[in-house]
C-alpha cells in the first residue's frame, strides 16, 4: 500500500475520515500524472474549505497494467480497507470486474479514463460513475464530418478488446444515419507486432475505401501511424480520423511522433480557458516533478509527461467526491467509521469472494454524488445518468507537429467554425469548418476512394435481355461465353443517365453490366416492386398514356360559321348587344330625335344601333358624351371579337383539323373496343383493374405490330388505342406522329428509376446524382442524343397540336368586364345627374312615392329642350321659368303664362289660330299652386303653324 501524505489527507482530530481507494497503473507516467492531479485537487479543496467536517483518506493501489491485479486491488480495498468509493481504474478493460464489485458492495466506482460505452448499462451498473466523456458521445461528431464531405464508405480501425469494440455499434449506427456504409472492420490485437499491423494496412490499401476512423490506445495508435506513413498511406486521397482518447493524449507525445500524423483529423474534448486552469497547470508541474524526481531519473518518459483533459477530469472527480461526502454528512449527520458496518470485519488481507460488507452510506452517497454540480477545471461538472454530460467537441487538424483547431461540434448546432456561431441552426456542411490541410499536404477535400482498387467488389448491374424500345437500353455486343458486359457493349438513354449519375457521385463506383446488384433499364417505379428493391428517384416523366389514331375533322357543315365561338361566348355577346342598346337609348332618349318616337320605333332603333356597330355603319348618331364613351368601348370589344372570329373561321375552313378518334379510355371500355399493350408490361394489370376483359386486351411485341393494329382499327381485328408508359409512347409517336396522337396520362405512375438491392446506400446517392444530372444541361444532351435523331426531327417538328379551335368566354371575359363596367358607370352617372336636376320632385314629401316616380318618368320621356340640339330655334323665341323648369313663349304673345285653370284639361294640344300658342300644361298634382311652388311643374310648349 502507498500511504497518502499529510497534505493529501489533511485528517485532523476533529474531522471525520472517509476511506477512499485509488487504483491506477502507477508504473506508467500517465498514472503518475493522474495521481498528482487527484492529490493536488484534494489539497485545493480542503484548503479552500478548512471548516468542512470530512476528510478523504486516499488508499492508493498499483494495478500494474494488468486486469487481474486491478481487480484484486479493488477487492482488497472494499473488503479490508472498507473504502466508501474508488477512483479508477486506469483502463476500460480493467473496469468491468471492479464495477461488479462496487455494485455488490454499494461502493461508487468513479472513473475518468474508462470511456468504453459497454461499461455503462443503467440497470446493471448504477454505482459506476464515468466522470469523463463517453466514447459513444463522439460518434455523432464523427458522422457529421463524414456527412459534410459526402464520404459514403468508412472503415473503422480499432483495438481488439472491450475498449475498442465498445464504440463500434454506436459508430456504425451513426454512420448509417448519414447513409455511409461500413464495408469492413479492421480489428488489431493489443499485442500485435509491427509486421501484423503492416499486413493489415496492406490489406486495407487494396480496398477502395480511403476513409479510416482510428479508435485505439495511444501506444498502439502511434505504431499504426508510424507504419502507415512509411508505406505511403498518409498521402493524398487518404482520410484519417482519430477518436477523443487518442487526440486528448497528443499533448503528451513528442513532435517526432506527431510528424508522422500530418493531415490527420481528431476529435478532442473542448476545455474552456480560465484563470483557475492556468494556475493549476503551473502548480501541477511543480508538484509532479517534486513527487516523481526519482522516477524521472530512471525513466525518461516521465520527464516528458504533459497534462491532458483526463488530468482535469481527475481533479474534478476528487472534488465532486469530497463535496458529495461533505453534503451527505451535513444533511444526515451520519458517522462513518468501522462501528457502523452491518457485518463483521473480515480477516485482514483476505481477498476471497465468499462474502464482503455492504457500505452503510452507499445508497445515500450514490444519490448525493448524482446531484452534485459545480464549475470544474474541465468545464461544467454535470452528471447525466451517471455520465459526464456531453460537452462541446473540438475538431482539430494535425499540422506541422501541432494541433490546429478547425471547428467545433455541439449536440444542438452540429459543426461550427467558432463558438460565437452557436446561435445558428444545426449544420453538417464542410463550409462550417476552417480550411483543412489533408494528408499529402493537399488542400483539396479527398473523395474518400481509390479509382482502381485491387480487391474491391464491383457492383453488378442487371440489363434486360431484350427491349422493344432500344432507345432506352440496347446490348450491341454480347459474348455467349461470358455474362459480363463491358461499358461500351451497352448503350441507350437509361444507360447514359446512369453513367452520368455515377460520374456525379463524390466517390468512385466500379460496376459490371449483366449481373444483379442493381438494375438499369426502362423500369417503372411501382409500390409492389419497392417491397423487394430500393428505387432511386425517377429520371423520366411519370404516368401511363394512350396513343390513338387521328382523323381529319375539317368542317363541311352548313353551320360551320357557328363553330369559331363556343355557345357561352355566343350567348354572352348577344346579351351584351341588348344591354349596350338599352344603355345608349337611356342616355340619348331625352336629347336625340333618333331615339324618340313610338315605343316600337325606339326599341328597333336602339337594337339596330347596337348591332350595326359590328360593321361601324350605324346611321344614327349619338350626341351625349356618356353615350359616345359607351360606344367607343363597345366598338373596341367588337373589333377584337370580330377579328378573332374571322381568324378562327379561316382556320376551320382552310387548315387541316386533326382530332383524336377517341378522347377517353372510358369511351373504349363502354364501346367494347380493344386496346393494346406490351406483353411484358405491368400496364396489362392496370387495364384489367380498370375493367377491361381479357378479350379486349391485345398483347403486342413490337412497334411495327402496334402501328399495324392501330391502322386497321378494332372493328377489323386491330385495336382502338395503344396504352403504354409515357416515355415509350413518346418514342412511338416520334416514328408515327402524322398518324397518331397522345392522350393522357390516363394512369399515374412514378416514372422510370434505377433499382438497387434492399438496404443499399447507393440508391440514396444515385438519387442525388440524378437530381444533379436532370437539373443541368447534361440530361438535355442525352435526350437529344436518343430521342431527337436526324430522321425524327422532321416528324417531331410537324407533330400537330390537337386542340379545339373554338374561342370561349375564357378568352374574352376581360373585354366584356371592361364593357360592362364602363356601361354601368355611365348609367349611374346619368341617373345621379338627372335626379339631382329634378330633386324638388323626388324630395317632395307631400306626394306619394308612386306619384313621384310617375312624375320623374314623365319628365324622362320629354325632350330636354335645354340641350344644345334643341336650341337651334328662331331668334324671336325666348325662354323663362322658375326653379329648374322652363316656359317657352312666342314673341307675339305678350300675356303672362297661362294658369293651370286655362289649360286644356285633357292635356292634349288643340289647333290654334296663326300666331297664337298651343299650350300644354302638365301638372304633377291635382291642385293648382303659385308659380314658385315646388310641388308643381308647368311646361308650356309652343308650336307655330
Amino acid at each position: 500500500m502507498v500511504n497518502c501524505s499529510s497534505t493529501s489527507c489533511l485528517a485532523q482530530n476533529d474531522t471525520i475520515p472517509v476511506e477512499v481507494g485509488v487504483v491506477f497503473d502507477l508504473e506508467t507516467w500517465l498514472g503518475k500524472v493522474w495521481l498528482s492531479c487527484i492529490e493536488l485537487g484534494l489539497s485545493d479543496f480542503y484548503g479552500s474549505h478548512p471548516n468542512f467536517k470530512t476528510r478523504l483518506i486516499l488508499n492508493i493501489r498499483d494495478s500494474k497494467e494488468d486486469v487481474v491485479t486491478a481487480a484484486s486491488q479493488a477487492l482488497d480495498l472494499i473488503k479490508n480497507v472498507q473504502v466508501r468509493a474508488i477512483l479508477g481504474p486506469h483502463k476500460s478493460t480493467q473496469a468491468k470486474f471492479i464495477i461488479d464489485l462496487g455494485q455488490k458492495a454499494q461502493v461508487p466506482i468513479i472513473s475518468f479514463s474508462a470511456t468504453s460505452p459497454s461499461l455503462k448499462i443503467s440497470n446493471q451498473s448504477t454505482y459506476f460513475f464515468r466522470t469523463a466523456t463517453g466514447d459513444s458521445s463522439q460518434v455523432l461528431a464523427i458522422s457529421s464530418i463524414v456527412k459534410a464531405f459526402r464520404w459514403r464508405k468508412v472503415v473503422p480501425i480499432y483495438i481488439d478488446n472491450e475498449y475498442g469494440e465498445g464504440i463500434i455499434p454506436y459508430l456504425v449506427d451513426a454512420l448509417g444515419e448519414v447513409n455511409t456504409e461500413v464495408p469492413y472492420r479492421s480489428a488489431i490485437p493489443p499485442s500485435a507486432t509491427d509486421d501484423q499491423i503492416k499486413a493489415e494496412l496492406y490489406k486495407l490499401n487494396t480496398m477502395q475505401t480511403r476513409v479510416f476512423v482510428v479508435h485505439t490506445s495511444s501506444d498502439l495508435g502511434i505504431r499504426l501511424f508510424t507504419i502507415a506513413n512509411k508505406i505511403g498511406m498518409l498521402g493524398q486521397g487518404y482520410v484519417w480520423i482519430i477518436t477523443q482518447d487518442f487526440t486528448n493524449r497528443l499533448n503528451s507525445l513528442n513532435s517526432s511522433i506527431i510528424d508522422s500524423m500530418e493531415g490527420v483529423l481528431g476529435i478532442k474534448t473542448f476545455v474552456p480557458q480560465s484563470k483557475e486552469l492556468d494556475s493549476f497547470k503551473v502548480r501541477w508541474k511543480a508538484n509532479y516533478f517534486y513527487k516523481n524526481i526519482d522516477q524521472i531519473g530512471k525513466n525518461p518518459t516521465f520527464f516528458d509527461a504533459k497534462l491532458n483533459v483526463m488530468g482535469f477530469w481527475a481533479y474534478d472527480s476528487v472534488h465532486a467526491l469530497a463535496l458529495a461526502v461533505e453534503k451527505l454528512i451535513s444533511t444526515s449527520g451520519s458517522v462513518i467509521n468501522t462501528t457502523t458496518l452491518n457485518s463483521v470485519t473480515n480477516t485482514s488481507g483476505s481477498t476471497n469472494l465468499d462474502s464482503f460488507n455492504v457500505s452503510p452510506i452507499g445508497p445515500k452517497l450514490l444519490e448525493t454524488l448524482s446531484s452534485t454540480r459545480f464549475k470544474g477545471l474541465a468545464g461544467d461538472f454535470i452528471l447525466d445518468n451517471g455520465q459526464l454530460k456531453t460537452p462541446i467537441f473540438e475538431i482539430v487538424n494535425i499540422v506541422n507537429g501541432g494541433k490546429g483547431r478547425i471547428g467545433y461540434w455541439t449536440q444542438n448546432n452540429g459543426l461550427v467554425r467558432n463558438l460565437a456561431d452557436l446561435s445558428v441552426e444545426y449544420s453538417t456542411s464542410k463550409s462550417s469548418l476552417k480550411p483543412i490541410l489533408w494528408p499529402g499536404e493537399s488542400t483539396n477535400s479527398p473523395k474518400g476512394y481509390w479509382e482502381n482498387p485491387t480487391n474491391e467488389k464491383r457492383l453488378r448491374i442487371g440489363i434486360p435481355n431484350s427491349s422493344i424500345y432500344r432507345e432506352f437500353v440496347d446490348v450491341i455486343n454480347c459474348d455467349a461465353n461470358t455474362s459480363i458486359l463491358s461499358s461500351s457493349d451497352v448503350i441507350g438513354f437509361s444507360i447514359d443517365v446512369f453513367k452520368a449519375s455515377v460520374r456525379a457521385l463524390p466517390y468512385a463506383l466500379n460496376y459490371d453490366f449483366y449481373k444483379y446488384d442493381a438494375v438499369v433499364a426502362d423500369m417503372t417505379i411501382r409500390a409492389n416492386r419497392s417491397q423487394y428493391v430500393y428505387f432511386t428517384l425517377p429520371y423520366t416523366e411519370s404516368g401511363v398514356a394512350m396513343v390513338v389514331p387521328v382523323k381529319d375533322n375539317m368542317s363541311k357543315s352548313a353551320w360551320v360559321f357557328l363553330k369559331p365561338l363556343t355557345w357561352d361566348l355566343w350567348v354572352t355577346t348577344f346579351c351584351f348587344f341588348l344591354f349596350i342598346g338599352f344603355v345608349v337609348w337611356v342616355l340619348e332618349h331625352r336629347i336625340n330625335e333618333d331615339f324618340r318616337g313610338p315605343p316600337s320605333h325606339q326599341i328597333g332603333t336602339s337594337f339596330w344601333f347596337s348591332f350595326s356597330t359590328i360593321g361601324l355603319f350605324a346611321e344614327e348618331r349619338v350626341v351625349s358624351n356618356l353615350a359616345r364613351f359607351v360606344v367607343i368601348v363597345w366598338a373596341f370589344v367588337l373589333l377584337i371579337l370580330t377579328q378573332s372570329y374571322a381568324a378562327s373561321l379561316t382556320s376551320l375552313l382552310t387548315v387541316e383539323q386533326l382530332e383524336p378518334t377517341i378522347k377517353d379510355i372510358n369511351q373504349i371500355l363502354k364501346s367494347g373496343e380493344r386496346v393494346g399493350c406490351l406483353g411484358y408490361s405491368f400496364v396489362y394489370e392496370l387495364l384489367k383493374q380498370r375493367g377491361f376483359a381479357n378479350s379486349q386486351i391485345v398483347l403486342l411485341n413490337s412497334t411495327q405490330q402496334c402501328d399495324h393494329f392501330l391502322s386497321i382499327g378494332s372493328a377489323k381485328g386491330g385495336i382502338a388505342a395503344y396504352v403504354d408508359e409515357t416515355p415509350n409512347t413518346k418514342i412511338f409517336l416520334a416514328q408515327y406522329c402524322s398518324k397518331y396522337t397522345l392522350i393522357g396520362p390516363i394512369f399515374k405512375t412514378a416514372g422510370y428509376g434505377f433499382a438497387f438491392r434492399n438496404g443499399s446506400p447507393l440508391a440514396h446517392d444515385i438519387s442525388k446524382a440524378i437530381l444533379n444530372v436532370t437539373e443541368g444541361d447534361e440530361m438535355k444532351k442525352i435526350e437529344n442524343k436518343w430521342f431527337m435523331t436526324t430522321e425524327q426531327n422532321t416528324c417531331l417538328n410537324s407533330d400537330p397540336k390537337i386542340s379545339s379551335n373554338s374561342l370561349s368566354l375564357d378568352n374574352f371575359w376581360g373585354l366584356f368586364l371592361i364593357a360592362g363596367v364602363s356601361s354601368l358607370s355611365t348609367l349611374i352617372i346619368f341617373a345621379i345627374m338627372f335626379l339631382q336636376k329634378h330633386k324638388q320632385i323626388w324630395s317632395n314629401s307631400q306626394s306619394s312615392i308612386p306619384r313621384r316616380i310617375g312624375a320623374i318618368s314623365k319628365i324622362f320621356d320629354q325632350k330636354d329642350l335645354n340641350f344644345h340640339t334643341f336650341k337651334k330655334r328662331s331668334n324671336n323665341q325666348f325662354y323663362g321659368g322658375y326653379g329648374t323648369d322652363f316656359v317657352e313663349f312666342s314673341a307675339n304673345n305678350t300675356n303672362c303664362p297661362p294658369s293651370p285653370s286655362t289649360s286644356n284639361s285633357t292635356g292634349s294640344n288643340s289647333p290654334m289660330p296663326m300666331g297664337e300658342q298651343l299650350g300644354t300644361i302638365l301638372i304633377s298634382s291635382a291642385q293648382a299652386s303659385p308659380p314658385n311652388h315646388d310641388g308643381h311643374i308647368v311646361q308650356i310648349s309652343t308650336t307655330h303653324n
Side-chain angles (χ1 to χ4, degrees):
M1 180 197 305
V2 180
N3 295 322
C4 63
S5 64
S6 59
T7 57
S8 61
C9 297
L10 294 176
Q12 301 174 0
N13 295 331
D14 57 348
T15 58
I16 302 175
V18 179
E19 301 293 341
V20 174
V22 178
V23 179
F24 288 148
D25 295 340
L26 295 178
E27 294 180 357
T28 65
W29 64 265
L30 199 53
K32 292 291 186 180
V33 169
W34 294 346
L35 180 59
S36 64
C37 291
I38 290 176
E39 292 177 338
L40 190 56
L42 202 59
S43 176
D44 287 350
F45 181 81
Y46 290 121
S48 58
H49 304 92
N51 297 324
F52 277 9
K53 298 179 180 180
T54 58
R55 293 293 185 271
L56 298 187
I57 307 300
L58 301 181
N59 295 269
I60 303 168
R61 298 290 190 272
D62 184 6
S63 53
K64 300 183 182 300
E65 301 185 72
D66 181 70
V67 174
V68 176
T69 302
S72 175
Q73 296 288 11
L75 181 61
D76 174 65
L77 290 170
I78 292 174
K79 289 179 63 69
N80 301 318
V81 183
Q82 298 169 359
V83 295
R84 301 308 175 208
I86 293 178
L87 291 167
H90 193 106
K91 301 175 182 176
S92 296
T93 53
Q94 301 168 342
K96 187 173 181 59
F97 185 70
I98 296 177
I99 291 173
D100 292 338
L101 291 177
Q103 191 73 18
K104 293 179 181 178
Q106 296 184 357
V107 172
I109 308 299
I110 305 169
S111 177
F112 47 84
S113 57
T115 57
S116 175
S118 63
L119 298 176
K120 186 59 183 175
I121 303 175
S122 58
N123 296 331
Q124 302 177 14
S125 52
T126 55
Y127 280 85
F128 173 57
F129 290 89
R130 180 186 287 126
T131 55
T133 303
D135 288 337
S136 60
S137 60
Q138 65 182 318
V139 297
L140 294 179
I142 296 173
S143 65
S144 294
I145 297 173
V146 171
K147 182 178 181 181
F149 292 95
R150 299 180 64 190
W151 298 319
R152 286 294 170 257
K153 292 183 179 181
V154 172
V155 171
I157 303 174
Y158 60 96
I159 186 170
D160 192 10
N161 58 22
E162 189 170 6
Y163 163 74
E165 294 172 351
I167 194 177
I168 297 303
Y170 299 90
L171 180 61
V172 172
D173 290 344
L175 293 174
E177 289 293 324
V178 296
N179 298 301
T180 297
E181 184 183 358
V182 178
Y184 178 74
R185 305 178 188 187
S186 176
I188 300 179
S191 58
T193 64
D194 288 354
D195 289 339
Q196 289 175 314
I197 296 174
K198 184 183 294 185
E200 182 66 17
L201 289 176
Y202 275 130
K203 181 178 179 181
L204 295 177
N205 208 27
T206 63
M207 299 179 182
Q208 187 184 46
T209 308
R210 288 294 175 266
V211 182
F212 306 107
V213 175
V214 179
H215 181 67
T216 66
S217 64
S218 58
D219 294 337
L220 180 60
I222 291 169
R223 294 169 58 206
L224 175 74
F225 279 104
T226 301
I227 297 172
N229 187 44
K230 288 181 179 179
I231 65 175
M233 290 184 66
L234 271 94
Q236 290 190 12
Y238 289 86
V239 178
W240 295 87
I241 302 174
I242 58 176
T243 55
Q244 63 168 349
D245 283 357
F246 196 173
T247 310
N248 289 336
R249 299 180 186 183
L250 288 179
N251 283 344
S252 305
L253 303 179
N254 59 55
S255 58
S256 61
I257 296 176
I258 298 179
D259 286 341
S260 64
M261 301 173 63
E262 195 81 2
V264 173
L265 299 183
I267 308 297
K268 182 176 180 290
T269 307
F270 171 69
V271 178
Q273 296 298 315
S274 64
K275 293 181 180 179
E276 292 79 6
L277 182 61
D278 293 338
S279 173
F280 170 75
K281 290 179 180 178
V282 174
R283 292 184 291 111
W284 170 84
K285 190 171 185 179
N287 180 273
Y288 173 80
F289 281 98
Y290 175 77
K291 291 287 187 68
N292 298 283
I293 189 67
D294 294 337
Q295 293 286 347
I296 292 174
K298 298 177 182 178
N299 191 341
T301 59
F302 281 75
F303 180 80
D304 296 329
K306 296 179 182 178
L307 269 177
N308 56 41
V309 68
M310 290 186 176
F312 307 149
W313 285 333
Y315 183 96
D316 290 343
S317 298
V318 74
H319 182 108
L321 180 59
L323 185 60
V325 169
E326 183 65 26
K327 287 181 179 179
L328 177 61
I329 299 303
S330 299
T331 56
S332 64
S334 299
V335 179
I336 307 175
N337 51 43
T338 56
T339 60
T340 61
L341 297 178
N342 51 9
S343 63
V344 297
T345 303
N346 289 308
T347 306
S348 177
S350 174
T351 58
N352 64 77
L353 299 176
D354 296 338
S355 64
F356 49 83
N357 303 310
V358 175
S359 172
I361 64 168
K364 291 184 179 180
L365 182 57
L366 173 69
E367 181 180 353
T368 306
L369 190 57
S370 298
S371 60
T372 298
R373 297 186 178 188
F374 59 91
K375 185 76 172 180
L377 286 182
D380 293 331
F381 186 92
I382 301 174
L383 294 176
D384 181 13
N385 193 30
Q387 300 186 83
L388 195 65
K389 195 171 182 180
T390 301
I392 300 172
F393 286 108
E394 289 183 56
I395 314 298
V396 298
N397 184 201
I398 301 177
V399 179
N400 297 327
K403 302 189 302 296
R405 183 189 301 125
I406 59 173
Y408 301 87
W409 180 90
T410 72
Q411 210 164 20
N412 296 327
N413 304 94
L415 298 175
V416 293
R417 283 196 176 197
N418 303 293
L419 292 181
D421 300 332
L422 294 184
S423 59
V424 300
E425 296 182 357
Y426 194 93
S427 172
T428 55
S429 171
K430 62 182 179 182
S431 62
S432 299
L433 299 174
K434 296 177 182 178
I436 301 173
L437 184 66
W438 301 97
E441 298 184 353
S442 172
T443 57
N444 297 322
S445 302
K447 289 190 174 183
Y449 63 83
W450 179 29
E451 294 285 357
N452 299 299
T454 59
N455 186 27
E456 181 73 13
K457 179 183 177 182
R458 300 174 67 86
L459 188 69
R460 297 170 298 176
I461 304 296
I463 299 298
N465 289 328
S466 62
S467 176
I468 293 179
Y469 294 101
R470 297 185 180 274
E471 289 86 351
F472 286 103
V473 179
D474 188 18
V475 179
I476 57 176
N477 292 310
C478 183
D479 187 353
N481 297 323
T482 179
S483 61
I484 300 178
L485 299 173
S486 68
S487 180
S488 59
D489 292 337
V490 186
I491 61 174
F493 174 77
S494 297
I495 300 299
D496 283 357
V497 173
F498 177 76
K499 290 179 179 179
S501 301
V502 169
R503 288 194 298 271
L505 291 174
Y507 52 85
L509 182 64
N510 294 314
Y511 55 86
D512 291 319
F513 286 120
Y514 220 70
K515 292 185 178 181
Y516 293 94
D517 274 335
V519 176
V520 174
D522 46 345
M523 175 179 287
T524 303
I525 301 171
R526 301 282 293 163
N528 60 335
R529 294 173 178 174
S530 64
Q531 299 176 11
Y532 308 102
V533 295
Y534 273 14
F535 278 106
T536 64
L537 290 176
Y539 60 90
T540 64
E541 294 180 74
S542 61
V544 173
M546 180 172 65
V547 176
V548 298
V550 293
K551 61 181 179 179
D552 182 6
N553 198 37
M554 181 181 291
S555 298
K556 300 177 177 63
S557 169
W559 302 99
V560 67
F561 66 90
L562 294 177
K563 191 173 181 181
L565 306 184
T566 58
W567 68 268
D568 56 343
L569 184 55
W570 279 116
V571 172
T572 302
T573 304
F574 178 77
C575 291
F576 260 81
F577 274 123
L578 301 182
F579 175 64
I580 297 298
F582 169 74
V583 172
V584 173
W585 175 80
V586 170
L587 300 176
E588 294 288 309
H589 176 64
R590 299 189 71 231
I591 60 176
N592 193 335
E593 289 288 359
D594 290 336
F595 291 88
R596 299 188 61 79
S600 60
H601 173 74
Q602 296 183 43
I603 294 173
T605 300
S606 300
F607 292 151
W608 158 254
F609 175 82
S610 177
F611 281 95
S612 64
T613 54
I614 295 177
L616 303 177
F617 53 81
E619 297 178 357
E620 295 77 9
R621 65 187 183 92
V622 292
V623 295
S624 71
N625 289 331
L626 292 177
R628 289 170 177 170
F629 174 73
V630 171
V631 172
I632 289 174
V633 174
W634 179 238
F636 175 73
V637 173
L638 287 180
L639 177 64
I640 296 177
L641 190 61
T642 53
Q643 294 294 327
S644 300
Y645 173 85
S648 181
L649 182 61
T650 301
S651 175
L652 287 172
L653 295 176
T654 59
V655 179
E656 182 183 27
Q657 301 297 316
L658 298 179
E659 288 192 353
T661 55
I662 296 171
K663 297 182 178 180
D664 188 359
I665 193 171
N666 292 323
Q667 181 180 346
I668 304 176
L669 188 62
K670 292 177 181 178
S671 64
E673 294 182 287
R674 300 199 305 171
V675 296
C677 67
L678 297 181
Y680 63 84
S681 173
F682 68 93
V683 177
Y684 176 79
E685 294 297 330
L686 289 179
L687 292 172
K688 291 185 64 176
Q689 293 174 11
R690 191 62 175 262
F692 283 89
N694 289 334
S695 59
Q696 287 183 269
I697 305 175
V698 177
L699 301 181
L700 307 170
N701 54 27
S702 68
T703 57
Q704 293 78 10
Q705 186 184 25
C706 178
D707 173 46
H708 173 69
F709 276 56
L710 281 172
S711 299
I712 63 177
S714 180
K716 297 181 181 180
I719 56 177
Y722 160 52
V723 181
D724 204 345
E725 296 159 273
T726 301
N728 290 346
T729 57
K730 288 192 173 183
I731 294 180
F732 179 81
L733 284 178
Q735 301 174 17
Y736 304 101
C737 61
S738 61
K739 301 169 61 177
Y740 310 108
T741 189
L742 190 67
I743 304 296
I746 57 176
F747 299 111
K748 291 183 178 180
T749 60
Y752 289 167
F754 303 130
F756 289 83
R757 57 180 173 80
N758 275 332
S760 173
L762 288 174
H764 179 271
D765 292 350
I766 293 292
S767 294
K768 284 188 175 181
I770 288 173
L771 289 178
N772 293 332
V773 172
T774 54
E775 292 175 357
D777 296 334
E778 190 162 8
M779 178 60 83
K780 189 64 177 178
K781 294 178 181 178
I782 297 174
E783 290 176 347
N784 292 340
K785 174 182 177 181
W786 292 103
F787 304 144
M788 293 286 289
T789 60
T790 303
E791 294 79 6
Q792 294 171 346
N793 273 335
T794 304
C795 190
L796 287 177
N797 293 334
S798 64
D799 188 16
K801 302 295 182 183
I802 299 177
S803 61
S804 174
N805 285 316
S806 298
L807 302 173
S808 68
L809 181 60
D810 293 337
N811 302 116
F812 299 99
W813 70 267
L815 288 174
F816 286 111
L817 178 63
I818 294 172
V821 170
S822 59
S823 301
L824 286 175
S825 300
T826 56
L827 282 180
I828 294 172
I829 294 172
F830 173 80
I832 293 173
M833 295 172 59
F834 181 74
L835 293 176
Q836 179 67 24
K837 183 176 181 181
H838 302 285
K839 65 180 179 180
Q840 76 281 4
I841 299 173
W842 186 252
S843 61
N844 183 13
S845 60
Q846 295 181 2
S847 299
S848 63
I849 292 178
R851 186 178 294 277
R852 281 182 275 176
I853 293 175
I856 289 294
S857 299
K858 289 179 181 179
I859 294 174
F860 174 76
D861 194 44
Q862 298 299 315
K863 294 181 180 180
D864 184 359
L865 296 178
N866 280 334
F867 197 76
H868 67 89
T869 57
F870 295 125
K871 287 184 178 180
K872 297 177 180 180
R873 298 291 188 267
S874 61
N875 293 332
N876 62 352
Q877 290 182 314
F878 71 92
Y879 297 87
Y882 57 88
T884 58
D885 304 309
F886 61 87
V887 180
E888 181 183 342
F889 302 99
S890 171
N892 296 327
N893 186 3
T894 59
N895 296 326
C896 295
S899 67
S901 61
T902 64
S903 65
N904 191 329
S905 62
T906 64
S908 61
N909 297 329
S910 299
M912 288 291 187
M914 180 72 67
E916 296 183 1
Q917 65 178 359
L918 176 63
T920 301
I921 305 174
L922 299 175
I923 305 175
S924 64
S925 63
Q927 184 179 1
S929 302
N932 62 350
H933 196 284
D934 292 338
H936 297 78
I937 301 126
V938 179
Q939 177 178 326
I940 299 177
S941 304
T942 63
T943 61
H944 301 278
N945 294 329

